[in-house]
Structure formats: structure tokens, C-alpha cells
Amino acid sequence: MKALIATILRYRVIALIAMGAWLAAGTWAVLRLDIEAYPDPSPPLVDVITQNPSWSAEEMEQQVTVPIETVLNGIPHLEYVRSTSLFGLSDVKLYFDFDSDYYADRQEVLNRLQTVTLPTGLQPQLSPWSAVGEIYRYQLKGPAYSLNELKATQDWFVVRELKQVPGTIDVSTFGGTTKQYHADIDPNRLLQFNVTLPQIITAITSSNQNVGGNYLQIGDQNVNVRGIGLLGGIKEMGAVLIAEHNGVPVYLRDVADIKEGFQPPLGRVGRNNESNIVKGTVLLQRGEQSLPALKGLREKVKALNSGILPPGMKIDTIYDRTTLIDTTTETVWHIILTGLGLVTLLLLVFLGDFPLAMVTALTIPFAILFAFGLMSATGHSANLISIGAIDFGIIVDSAIVVLENIYRRLHEATSDEHRIDLIAEASSEAAKPVLFSTLIILVAFIPLFTMKGVPGRIFAPMSLTYSYALTGALLFALLFAPVLASFRRKVRSGHTADPRQVRWLKRHYERILLRVVRNPKKVLAASVLLLIAALACFGVVGGEFMPPLEEGNLWIRTTVPQDISLDYAVKLADDMRHILGSFPEVKQVVSQVGRPDDGTDPTTFNNIEFEVDLKPPSEWKTVHSKDELIDEMNKALGKYPGVSFNFSQNIQDNVEEAMSGVKGENSLKLFGDDIEVLAGTAKKIMDVMGKVPGITDLAVFKETGQPNLIISIDRAAAGRYGLMASDINAAVQAAIGGTAATQILEGDRRFDFVVRYQPQYRENVDAMRNILLATADGSHVPLGEVASIGFREGAFMIYRENGRRYIPIKFSVRGRDLAGTIADVQGRLERSVKLPEGYHFEWAGEYDSLRKEQRRLAIIIPITVGVILGLLYVSFNSLRDALAVMSVLPFGIAGGVLSLLISGTPFSISAAVGFASVIGVATLGGLVFVAGIRRAEAHEHGMEHSIVRASVGEMRAVLMACLAAGLGLLPAAVSHGIGVQAQQPLARVVVGGMVTTTFAILIVVPVIATLGLVTTGAVEGEA
């Protein structure tokens, strides 16, 4: 090491050029670094959707969901299979192990789907949806255009254009109307012209096709032969020949009204004062970077709005993820620069030497730029947590050790001769403790580096950033800090004397310490009692998985009775959208009822969702916090009986749904086989949960109560008329629901041509009974003669997980910690609700993730502490000295607990990472301090004075290390900016932990040494 450093020092100019290149490359990497607002915590997820607009939830489950689940079970790395079956839709989500290859999983699903046997005409498809993939939403506007025209342009042109942007995988369309052509049949005219509905469908299908006649050679020319038979417009559709009676043709126009219409909508989107709009949502491909994709989207949208779209039509942005990313990036850079300024000021105060402080402070930008450079080079993205959670105190420790040793050796030198060799020797002397301290820090972060699952996804960028930053700091301290130190031509005499403020601190510290060491047992007993009291507070801190990242919006999910009609649901949505938009804190409100036509959101008309875009908090007038705003909105919306609300945020809501399979922040899943028993038991559980303080947004996801109009075939009666069940069902489907007989091509667009009865002949039960069915002998029989028609309740929505049915009870927790609330609920349920045999419940959502991580931490933290103890033993070759250093750790943890308690912050995975930082810094500080005490020489006034003198000598190093760690994260601990919430528990733990760690090192460790529990030179000398 000495030879390497000496070589670098001899070529200082080249080293400076290398440092400049390092800074330039790091800056360039920062500008290219992809920054995400939030890491995707969801596992590899493959979503299989199958649609059949005419089937009930039971039929979708029996004939679609179960066969698909059966075929897909057993795929390698598959952990969960969750499905939802509802009217017209089967949604099967497959959750794979976090370490599996998403694209390999996806391909295996596609391969297996080829073997599934489903009813004719049903084709499963893979949904492109992902938890954090919705990066851009827009409205396609055009005042002069109908909803049919807007939706057709969106589906057949805009989607195609936006999917060309690199990084996007699909565009989901919601709202508007899907254009169709309708042939509305008059059954009376069918009788008049003696034709049947099957004849009409067959005639239309046969009258809409082109054929090829190969080619002909005419002279020297080649001519293609084509037969043109495609229908080209409503007039040609009306001219379709249905039958011929005695030379008189019967055309479609004779028995039907032909017009442009639209497909029965599955949902609707409204925005502000507009009740029905066409909305598009651009989905990011999994693993792609969002900022480049968003930049490409904005450029594409600008081009489309500049004349490519039809005149008067334009794309109006509703949501752009860039805004959130820019806001959170601004927050994190403000935190970093403030922390950097505080740490630099601290170095100036304690070192008292401007050049030394500046060179030490340079470690931070060099380490950060080195980390970002490696992240950019390896294709990793950064986020608020990974950038803003770096502890500057840890980063500068290596440079402090190296530079202090260099300046000490230069001061002790009698002349400037052999200056380069002296600096090289001083740097190589410091290399061993610097490498060892870095190893201690890395070991302390074992809990962070080994995180799996959801926490691993969230904190993986942070663990990478920390690793790279520590490496950069180490390289700077050993290779470049000596170069910068060598440019100081002269170290003034007395340089290593402490600055005035440090001398003042040492005088007061020595006075206090002398009193302390004279009463070691009392001080130690009091410290232990305070420690126990502080650690006991952990039981009342509470817990949550992760604090939500503030996004600057609200996502409000409204659940209304399951049998609500689309028209009434839209009316409610319009009214609620107006109420929400009346709050002065709200910029815009977008509502969506039901689901889009592509089935990517498995829900129906009873689900109304509101995307509420909020103004910056500085512009709020009537409320001072988001919780207050939610309370006021809840009150304003409380006038609707039988309606439940769930308040979340845009990304947060998608992540929660992806993790638990339930639309809600948290949920209890009750498993069983019988839907009725599940519903009854869920009602009892909900009644108990409703009495628990802190539980809000409580509701049971209804699985029953869906009114069904059942047409039950009387097989005996049908047999007398020679009618098979399939004949009757086909006629019912065509007459009532409508049958797409063919598709009409208009350029590169295609639209269904649907045949069905006119509304007055299918809008009520009596009209349906009179639908005439053609028999084999040419006569007709009313539907009511061969089938009974009546209402009956059936399943509304059927949830399954790993082959078992369940019913979810969703809830949120506000004004109380999650873990404490769940513990309260569990206790009450054990006393009040007895589950039927074979039934059980599980917690899903944040609480389930919290419990899993707590179990992992209970194993990995003792292992980490054991490894640290082993390293300390190797360093000191003394178990009691190693234990003396370890005695600091409980005090650091206690400080973190007190900080959480005082700030009202529940324990979370973010806080757990903070405790890992505290353990690292506390170990490092304790190691330096105990090593100093071990070097204490005998004093004429006894061992106590020797220990005090050694402790005072190490005070500055300990204060710098601990205060730098605390001050570096203080801005994050007190900030209220958008995006800092996930980082705050970590920062608050470190700030609080550094206060008690400083106390433990400077007060408790000397007391322990006084009691003879630390090896000192004074003790050895007396022996």
C-alpha cells in the first residue's frame, strides 16, 4: 500500500487529472441516472384475463378460472395464484418468487395456456398491467367529435402511435363509447316476411367477405383477380339478402333498423365538469426506465398535437409521473445539500483547520458521484430512499482517520525533507484501521444487504448506493486525500493543538468525567435503568410496514351496493366528483366507474374511483394537513348511505392491490368453501372490527347478492317442439344480448356488426317471454312456452387464492399504528367470533409484509451482532474489550426508540434500516474510544485519571463521528417535503441513536473501564 501511495504522490498532476475525470464522469452519470419516484416492490406478476360478456361470476369461475388455475399450477417459482371471477371476466394473477426471471415466467405461462381447454370462442390474454407501470394518463379531446369518433381514433391510431415510444408496453383505454353497427330486429316483421333470426345472422356473415381469384396473364401483363364483397356502409348493410319468397327478395332493411351505435359500456370516466371522456393510460414495460420513456411520450404527444391528429382533436395530459419524480428529486437534493453543509460546518468546528476540513468534506461529493457513476454504468435506477438515506458521517470517517494521521506526522517531522515518503507512510499506517472500520460498517448493514421480498425491492437500490459510496469514500481516503494533503507546503507549529471550542468542550468533559468515575457503580446502575426504560418504550412505539410515500394526490375508492346500475353509478360519480372538486386544495378530479373494455381492472359498476390531484400544501387554505383534508372529504361524502370509502394514493393503491390481491390498503381474508357461510361470517368479523379504535374505511367485499334474470329451459317442453337447448340459448343470446355477426372494415379499423331485437322487445320479462323461436317444421313458439324466466340472486364476485375461495374485508388504519391496531383486532376476534370448521383467516397487505420482515430481522440481527463481536475480538484479542464496545449498541438502539416515540413515528422497515446504521456508527465510535483507553498510560493519581485522560483524548474523534452521522440525516428527519416520508423513520432513528450513542461512549464506557472491564496500559503497568 505504501509503495502505491508513494507512486501516486510522485505523479500528483496525473492524480489531479484523474480526480477531475472522476468528478466529470460522476456528474455526467448523475445527469444520465434514471431516478424513479418509488421502487417497484411487487414480485414478478403475470396477469391472465379472459372475457365473455354474457356469463355470470359462477360460470366464469367454473368454466374459465378453475381450468386456467389447474393448467398453470406447478410452474417453477410460482408462489401464489390469486383469481377474481365476476360478470363477464376472469382474472388470474400469478405471483412468482422475487428471484425468478419475469420474462421466463411469462413465456412459461403462455406455453401452458396453449394446453387449456375453454369453451369455444374464449381466448385468454396476458394483461400488461404492473403496480408502478402507470406513468402517464391523458384525455383525448375534440369538441366537434362524437364519443364514437374519439374512442375509435384512440383505439386505432393514438394507441398505435404511443406504443412506438421505447419503454412503453401498452396503452389502456377507458371511457367513451366503442363504435358498432347495429341491426335492430323487429320480430313482427320477421313473422311478416317469414324469416328467422338465425337466417339473418347467417346471411350477414356470408355477405361480408372478399375473395381472391389468383392471377391472370393478359398479354404481357400480370393481373390479380379479386372478388369484392365487403360491406361498405349502412346502405350496403341494408341491402344484405336474407331470403327470397316466390321471386321476392327479403333484405335486411325490410326486417331491421340499421344504424351506427356503440357497445354496451363496462364503465365510464369523468373529469371535472365532463361526465364522459376518453382516457388513455400509458403503461411502462417492466424493468424499463421511466424518465426516458416519459420524455419520449411528451415528444410524441407534442407531435400528435401539432397536426397529426384530426383537426380540433388533441391530447390533454391528466397525469405525468415526471412531476412526482422532479418534486421528490428536488426534495432529496435539498436534503443532501443541507446535510452536506451541516457536516462540513461540523468538520470546521472540530478540526479547526480549513484545508483539512475541506479535503475531508470533499469525500462526500466524490463518494456520491462514484456511487451514481457505478449505478448508471450497471443500469440501476435511483430513488429518494437510495439517494437521501446515505449517512454522511459514515462516508467521511475514512478520510478523517487518514488525514489526521498525515497532519500529525507532518507536525511531528523536524523538516520538510522526505515529505512525500512521510505522507505515504502515514497513509499506509491508517490503511489498516480504515479498512477495518469499513468492514465493520458493511457487516452492520448485513440486515440491509440480505433483505428479500418486498423490503429487498424497496431497499435494494439503497444497499447498492451504500456499497458503492463506501467504496468510493475508501478509494478517495487512501488514494486521493494524501495527494490533496501534500499540496499544503507547511504545517504550522502547534497544528494538532485543538481549536478553542474543542478545548472548551474537553475541559468541561474532563470535569464531568472525573465526577463520574468516582461513582462508577451508581452511574452504571442509573444508566442501565434508563436504558431498560428506553428499550421498554419499544412496546408502545407501534409498527407499520412502510410509511407511504407522499405523492401529492389522493386515490379514493368508493364501494356502493353491488346491484347498482351503470347510469345510477355514473350519477353518483358526477355528484361526488363535484363535491371533491369544490375543495380549494384540489386541482382536478377524475372519476372512473366500472372497468375498461380490455378487462385490465377486474371490477364492475359498484366500484367508483377518484383520482384527486392536489395543489402544493403551501397553497392550501382550509386545512393544514392531508389527514385533515381526508376527514373533511369524508364528512362531505358521508351523506350517501350504504357507501364506503377508502383513501389512498395513486401508486400506493396499485402497489397495495398488487401485493394483496385486494383493492384496499389492508385486508383480512376469510377462507372457506361456501359463499353464503363466508358472507355471514365476514359480517360478524366486520361488526367486531368496526368497534376497534383506528379502524377506518371498513367494508366487506360482497360476493353474493347479484340479481340474475334466469332463463331456465324446460327440456320436456322444448323436446315437444323439436328444440334443443343450444337452439334456445343461441336465440336468447342473439335476441337479448346481441350477436356480432361480422365486422365492418373501415380502412385499418374494424367495428362489430351486431344483430339483436329492438329495445322494446327485450327490455322486460314479459317482452322476453314473447320472443319467438323457430321450430323444425317452420312454425314459431314463444320463449315462455319452453323456458321459465325469473329473478334469482347469485354470486357477484368470487375470490380465490391457491385454489380456495375467500372473502376479503378491507380496512385502513388512521390515527394509530398498524401493528397495535391489528393486535387489538385479533384479541377481540378470538373472544367474539368462532369460525366454522374448515374456515380460517389471514392478514394481507402491509401487516403481512411487516410480520414476515420482523421474523427475518429476529434471525439476521443476532447473527450480525455476533459477527461484529467476532471482528472486535480479532481486533482487540480480548473478549472483555470487545464486549465493552458492544455495550454501546443497546444505548444507540434505545436512542432510536426514544426518537420514534417522541416524534410519534411507528417502527417500520425504514426504521429498521436506521437501526442498522446506528449499530455501524456506534460500533465504530466505540472501537475508536476503547482503543484509545487501551493505550492509556499509568498516571501518578491512579487508574481513574489515566482513563479520564485517554477518554478526553478520544472525545473529538467520537463527537465528530457521531454528530456527523446525526447531522447528516437531520434535514431528512425534520423535512416535510413530498417524497421524504419513507426516509424519515430511518433518519429519526439515526439522529436519536447518535445522541445516546455519544452519551454511552463518553460516559458509560469510561465507567466500565474504571471497573476494570477494559484492558488499559495503566492496569498492565501496575501489574
Side-chain angles (χ1 to χ4, degrees), residues 280-611:
T281 301
V282 182
L283 303 174
L284 183 71
Q285 191 162 353
R286 186 180 180 91
E288 290 292 328
Q289 298 180 349
S290 59
L291 283 178
L294 285 163
K295 181 182 179 182
L297 280 169
R298 288 192 297 273
E299 292 172 354
K300 175 64 76 172
V301 167
K302 183 178 180 181
L304 290 173
N305 285 340
S306 299
I308 299 177
L309 285 171
M313 200 178 289
K314 73 169 187 174
I315 294 173
D316 184 31
T317 300
I318 296 175
Y319 169 81
D320 185 338
R321 179 76 59 80
T322 308
T323 303
L324 176 60
I325 294 174
D326 289 345
T327 304
T328 55
T329 303
E330 181 182 347
T331 300
V332 73
W333 284 119
H334 173 74
I335 289 171
I336 286 178
L337 293 175
T338 306
L340 177 59
L342 290 173
V343 171
T344 304
L345 181 63
L346 177 77
L347 293 172
L348 280 170
V349 169
F350 277 91
L351 295 175
D353 186 284
F354 186 79
L356 176 61
M358 289 299 100
V359 173
T360 305
L362 272 176
T363 309
I364 298 174
F366 268 83
I368 296 297
L369 291 175
F370 181 81
F372 290 164
L374 284 182
M375 292 186 73
S376 180
T378 55
H380 289 96
S381 298
N383 57 63
L384 174 68
I385 300 173
S386 67
I387 299 173
I390 297 177
D391 195 327
F392 297 144
I394 295 176
I395 297 299
V396 299
D397 281 339
S398 299
I400 288 174
V401 173
V402 172
L403 289 168
E404 277 207 314
N405 199 49
I406 291 173
Y407 277 61
R408 180 181 61 82
R409 293 291 300 273
L410 288 175
H411 172 72
E412 293 172 352
T414 57
S415 69
D416 267 0
E417 292 183 15
H418 310 294
R419 179 185 181 84
I420 297 298
D421 291 335
L422 189 63
I423 293 175
E425 185 176 343
S427 301
S428 62
E429 284 176 359
K432 182 178 178 181
V434 164
L435 289 169
F436 189 79
S437 64
T438 303
L439 180 60
I440 288 285
I441 296 296
L442 290 174
V443 170
F445 279 105
I446 287 177
L448 172 62
F449 298 146
T450 58
M451 280 184 173
K452 299 291 183 182
V454 178
R457 284 298 181 93
I458 293 174
F459 289 102
M462 177 181 170
S463 63
L464 278 174
T465 308
Y466 246 122
S467 302
Y468 295 157
L470 284 172
T471 303
L474 184 64
L475 291 174
F476 177 82
L478 295 179
L479 302 181
F480 296 120
V483 172
L484 295 174
S486 69
F487 281 95
R488 189 172 184 191
R489 299 306 305 169
K490 186 176 181 181
V491 177
R492 61 183 172 84
S493 177
H495 160 75
T496 55
D498 296 321
R500 182 184 306 171
Q501 56 272 17
V502 175
R503 293 198 300 271
W504 182 88
L505 285 172
K506 283 187 175 182
R507 281 198 308 271
H508 286 77
Y509 173 55
E510 184 175 6
R511 190 177 304 125
I512 294 171
L513 200 56
L514 283 171
R515 295 176 184 175
V516 167
V517 297
R518 288 171 186 151
N519 301 282
K521 293 183 180 179
K522 291 181 180 180
V523 173
L524 187 60
S527 300
V528 171
L529 288 175
L530 290 173
L531 173 64
I532 293 172
L535 292 175
C537 293
F538 187 77
V540 297
V541 166
E544 63 182 3
F545 178 61
M546 275 291 292
L549 174 72
E550 177 55 50
E551 301 176 32
N553 60 55
L554 284 171
W555 190 271
I556 306 173
R557 190 182 301 278
T558 305
T559 305
V560 298
Q562 65 271 28
D563 58 350
I564 192 170
S565 69
L566 174 61
D567 290 342
Y568 189 57
V570 168
K571 181 180 181 303
L572 285 178
D574 291 344
D575 293 344
M576 293 178 184
R577 195 173 61 250
H578 176 73
I579 292 172
L580 294 171
S582 66
F583 283 85
E585 294 76 17
V586 173
K587 281 201 291 190
Q588 67 170 345
V589 184
V590 177
S591 64
Q592 54 188 52
V593 179
R595 66 175 183 263
D597 291 343
D598 59 11
T600 49
D601 189 5
T603 185
T604 185
F605 304 143
N606 81 316
N607 185 72
I608 308 173
E609 298 175 1
F610 298 92
E611 179 183 354

Side-chain angles (χ1 to χ4, degrees), residues 616-630:
S618 59
E619 299 179 19
W620 292 8
K621 298 178 180 179
T622 61
V623 296
H624 300 92
S625 70
K626 201 170 189 179
D627 286 341
E628 284 185 44
L629 181 61
I630 290 174

Side-chain angles (χ1 to χ4, degrees), residues 138-140 147-148 150-152 154-155 172-179 262-263 265-270 275-281 590-598:
Y138 62 89
Q139 176 186 353
L140 184 62
L147 286 171
N148 268 4
L150 288 171
K151 180 77 179 326
Q154 162 69 12
D155 289 340
S172 176
T173 303
F174 200 172
T177 53
T178 301
K179 179 179 174 181
F262 55 85
Q263 175 183 308
L266 298 173
R268 184 180 293 184
V269 179
S275 180
N276 196 354
I277 68 168
V278 176
K279 185 187 81 168
T281 301
V590 177
S591 64
Q592 54 188 52
V593 179
R595 66 175 183 263
D597 291 343
D598 59 11

Side-chain angles (χ1 to χ4, degrees), residues 40-44 77 79 96-101 286 452-457 659:
D40 184 359
S42 62
H77 308 294
E79 290 196 337
F96 291 87
D97 182 83
F98 278 91
D99 295 326
S100 69
D101 184 329
R286 186 180 180 91
K452 299 291 183 182
V454 178
R457 284 298 181 93
M659 297 309 303

Side-chain angles (χ1 to χ4, degrees), residues 71-212:
V71 166
L72 296 179
N73 270 318
I75 293 179
H77 308 294
L78 180 63
E79 290 196 337
Y80 296 100
V81 179
R82 293 173 178 151
S83 65
T84 306
S85 303
L86 63 158
F87 177 75
L89 177 65
S90 164
D91 180 76
V92 181
K93 287 184 170 67
L94 297 102
Y95 295 75
F96 291 87
D97 182 83
F98 278 91
D99 295 326
S100 69
D101 184 329
Y102 168 72
Y103 290 101
D105 299 334
R106 185 181 175 93
Q107 187 58 50
E108 181 63 21
V109 170
L110 286 171
N111 294 342
R112 294 204 178 199
L113 285 176
Q114 304 304 314
T115 66
V116 68
T117 302
L118 297 179
T120 304
L122 298 189
Q123 180 62 49
Q125 295 179 335
L126 299 190
S127 169
W129 183 86
S130 67
V132 296
E134 298 179 1
I135 59 172
Y136 188 81
R137 296 191 186 95
Y138 62 89
Q139 176 186 353
L140 184 62
K141 285 186 169 183
Y145 295 90
S146 68
L147 286 171
N148 268 4
E149 292 170 321
L150 288 171
K151 180 77 179 326
T153 304
Q154 162 69 12
D155 289 340
W156 297 102
F157 179 71
V158 176
V159 168
R160 184 179 62 206
E161 291 290 317
L162 295 183
K163 285 174 69 175
Q164 296 174 20
V165 175
T168 62
I169 189 172
D170 205 353
V171 180
S172 176
T173 303
F174 200 172
T177 53
T178 301
K179 179 179 174 181
Q180 290 182 335
Y181 288 100
H182 290 171
D184 291 338
I185 307 298
D186 184 341
N188 294 322
R189 285 191 266 173
L190 291 183
L191 289 175
Q192 176 185 345
F193 288 98
N194 192 27
V195 295
T196 64
L197 201 56
Q199 279 182 282
I200 294 175
I201 295 172
T202 301
I204 293 174
T205 304
S206 303
S207 301
N208 185 40
Q209 52 186 320
N210 287 351
V211 296

Side-chain angles (χ1 to χ4, degrees), residues 332 335 384-385 388-389 547 910 969 972 979-988:
V332 73
I335 289 171
L384 174 68
I385 300 173
S910 175
L969 288 176
V980 78
Q981 290 72 23
Q983 185 189 351
Q984 271 185 338
L986 182 157
R988 288 172 177 172

Side-chain angles (χ1 to χ4, degrees), residues 1009-1021:
T1010 304
L1011 295 173
L1013 300 178
V1014 176
T1015 305
T1016 65
V1019 174
E1020 293 172 355

